[in-house]
Amino acid sequence: MMVAGKKRILIVDDEETLRLGLREYLELEGYEVDAAASAEEALTLDLSRYNLILLDIMMGKMSGIELAEKLKNEPATADIPIIFLTAKGEADDMVAGLKLGADDYVTKPYSVKVLVARIEAVLRRTSPKAAGGVVCRRDSLTCTVDGNQVKLPRKEFELLALLLENPGRIFSREELLKRIWSDEVVVIDRSVDVHITRLRSKIAPYGNHIVTRSGYGYGWQD
């Protein structure tokens, strides 16, 4: 499995200057970046769409440790790598974060170049390996199977790319309809089933990686 294109990073930090400056730098490095000023604000976002989260430990009412615990306890976000941004004197909190499953930490004040190197290392280590030879490229809107291009209509491409970006996650039909068919006024559940059937055929022999959970929906299984 592979989805090529920009990696998505979320910065969660209550220091505005740091947050905005880091966002600008990472965007120049080629990442797609969002930022939240608090853990509470971060929870209003669709966190499952991010490839990595940069998380400050000390923030307002909810700490970075508490947010990380929530993320690790939710199947949709449990596998998203986290790098903690820690201040000196927060060693105990840093250890607690690593025990929760965080992937790395950087102590403030930090070198942005060092942080980018840490981000690249974590993404290399945690990026899903290719399942078969299915590749979706959002930048060029193309799909290949074992290196051979497969032509997909827009809805089929978006559906396949979404599943590939979230291996192991099962999407309900209602959620898929909301995400993929949001621009249509009238659409029925059966539309999802029809598109899944077509996709399985078009990406053979990897169609069986699209799994069905009876009564619920579909997902991609490596």
Side-chain angles (χ1 to χ4, degrees), residues 102-115:
D103 295 85
D104 203 349
Y105 70 95
V106 177
T107 304
K108 300 178 182 179
Y110 51 76
S111 161
V112 180
K113 289 185 177 180
V114 170
L115 177 57

Side-chain angles (χ1 to χ4, degrees), residues 10 178 187:
L10 175 64
K178 185 181 296 184
V187 65

Side-chain angles (χ1 to χ4, degrees), residues 27 47 71 83 145 212 216:
E27 287 176 339
L47 297 176
L71 294 174
I83 296 179
V145 176
T212 304
Y216 190 75

Side-chain angles (χ1 to χ4, degrees), residues 135-211:
V135 179
C136 278
R137 297 186 179 277
R138 286 195 180 273
D139 51 359
S140 60
L141 299 178
T142 58
C143 175
T144 58
V145 176
D146 290 337
N148 299 311
Q149 187 165 334
V150 176
K151 292 185 178 181
L152 297 177
R154 176 187 166 192
K155 300 297 186 187
E156 289 180 16
F157 176 86
E158 292 180 355
L159 181 56
L160 179 60
L162 178 64
L163 297 182
L164 287 171
E165 287 168 343
N166 297 275
R169 177 178 174 181
I170 302 298
F171 291 89
S172 69
R173 289 176 175 82
E174 291 75 15
E175 187 172 5
L176 291 173
L177 288 172
K178 185 181 296 184
R179 285 172 174 255
I180 309 300
W181 282 268
S182 59
D183 57 343
E184 296 187 16
V185 177
V186 179
V187 65
I188 59 175
D189 287 358
R190 182 62 179 162
S191 297
V192 177
D193 301 332
V194 170
H195 280 70
I196 290 292
T197 298
R198 291 173 179 168
L199 277 175
R200 283 175 171 150
S201 175
K202 291 179 179 180
I203 65 171
Y206 307 112
N208 61 351
H209 286 280
I210 300 178
V211 296

